[in-house]
């Protein structure tokens, strides 16, 4: 069987499909095209007041793309509430290639030289496809999500795809929409150019909080 390439993965995302493995040790990838899709509407993103204070006052910086490989490998590890993940070795390799090509990005919470949490995903024009997040410190993944949304809003993105809605994401305004509605939003997002580097690295935390409270 021909090797799955980064170009094929990008084409799949642009068509509304994404790959997953059954488990960390399963070498096979499956294409997923769910009937309902989870998204976080950027204009109605909600960050609790306590979390906004955490974003302003956390001790270390939040960076982007400093150690993408470390982020995806951390997301692939078992964690609290998950005994296994869907991120296998091929996904790690493919998305690391996509990062080198400028399509995969990470948002990273640091405390000194320690990576304490973060997330990663795929960026294609005005759409960002969130893949996975992790925390080694309280609220670190939530802080990374707030920084991601601020960056996407400032950069003119139209779509934040989170694939499946969880109770965790519902707190931030995530909703499920039918496949047909998702494809309309995706087509709209692919018609504009988003700027993932719309904020400094690291950004001013106060500017991040201001960005997520603004509506267009």
């Amino acid at each position: 069987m021909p090797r799955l390439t980064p170009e094929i993965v990008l084409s799949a995302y642009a068509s509304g499909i994404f790959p997953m493995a059954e488990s960390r040790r399963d070498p096979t990838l499956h294409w997923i095209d769910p009937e309902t899709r989870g998204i976080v509407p950027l204009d109605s993103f909600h960050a609790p007041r306590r979390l906004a204070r955490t974003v302003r006052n956390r001790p270390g910086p939040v960076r982007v793309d400093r150690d993408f490989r470390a982020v995806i490998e951390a997301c692939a590890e078992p964690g609290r509430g998950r005994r296994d993940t869907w991120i296998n070795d091929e996904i790690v390799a493919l998305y690391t290639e996509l990062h080198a090509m400028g399509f995969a990005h990470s948002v990273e919470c640091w405390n000194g030289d320690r990576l304490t949490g973060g997330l990663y995903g795929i960026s294609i024009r005005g759409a960002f496809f969130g893949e996975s997040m992790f925390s080694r410190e309280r609220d670190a993944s939530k802080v990374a999500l707030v920084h991601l949304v601020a960056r996407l809003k400032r950069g003119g993105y139209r779509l934040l795809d989170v694939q499946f809605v969880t109770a965790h994401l519902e707190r931030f305004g995530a909703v499920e929409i039918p496949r047909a509605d998702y494809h309309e939003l995706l087509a709209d997002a692919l018609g504009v150019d988003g700027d993932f580097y719309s904020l400094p690295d690291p950004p001013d935390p106060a500017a991040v909080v201001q960005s997520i409270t603004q509506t267009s």
Side-chain angles (χ1 to χ4, degrees):
M1 180 180 294
R3 178 183 177 274
L4 188 60
T5 65
E7 291 78 11
I8 292 173
V9 173
L10 291 174
S11 179
Y13 273 101
S15 301
I17 306 168
F18 57 90
M20 294 180 71
E22 289 287 346
S23 69
R24 180 72 176 93
R25 300 303 169 194
D26 178 12
T28 306
L29 292 183
H30 306 275
W31 293 111
I32 311 298
D33 184 16
E35 291 186 4
T36 59
R37 193 69 160 252
I39 66 166
V40 175
L42 293 170
D43 281 344
S44 57
F45 178 78
H46 170 70
R49 191 171 299 174
R50 184 186 66 79
L51 179 59
R53 287 198 301 268
T54 300
V55 171
R56 289 191 190 97
N57 300 324
R58 74 176 311 276
V62 177
R63 313 299 299 262
V64 296
D65 294 343
R66 292 290 157 158
D67 198 341
F68 179 88
R69 181 80 182 212
V71 171
I72 192 170
E73 288 181 344
C75 288
E77 296 172 355
R80 181 180 298 176
R82 65 182 188 198
R83 297 165 68 179
D84 199 1
T85 73
W86 51 267
I87 303 170
N88 65 7
D89 289 343
E90 184 166 9
I91 284 179
V92 171
L94 278 168
Y95 285 66
T96 301
E97 286 187 67
L98 286 165
H99 172 64
M101 295 166 62
F103 290 101
H105 299 287
S106 55
V107 180
E108 309 158 7
C109 294
W110 291 88
N111 192 342
D113 60 357
R114 181 170 175 260
L115 179 63
T116 61
L119 58 82
Y120 78 95
I122 298 292
S123 175
I124 306 177
R125 303 205 70 186
F128 191 89
F129 307 87
E131 287 296 310
S132 188
M133 58 178 63
F134 78 100
S135 282
R136 294 171 177 156
E137 185 178 84
R138 182 178 177 181
D139 290 339
S141 65
K142 296 176 184 177
V143 169
L145 178 60
V146 169
H147 274 255
L148 172 67
V149 170
R151 192 168 289 276
L152 299 183
K153 291 185 69 171
R154 185 68 63 89
Y157 283 75
R158 300 278 183 86
L159 174 65
L160 172 52
D161 172 8
V162 294
Q163 300 175 351
F164 304 107
V165 173
T166 63
H168 174 70
L169 290 172
E170 280 184 327
R171 300 170 190 162
F172 299 98
V175 296
E176 286 185 341
I177 60 174
R179 181 190 291 148
D181 293 349
Y182 172 78
H183 280 278
E184 288 185 11
L185 292 176
L186 177 59
D188 176 65
L190 295 178
V192 302
D193 287 321
D195 177 11
F196 188 77
Y197 299 110
S198 58
L199 290 173
D201 180 28
D204 174 17
V208 168
V209 174
Q210 182 181 22
S211 292
I212 64 171
T213 58
Q214 290 175 340
T215 57
S216 57

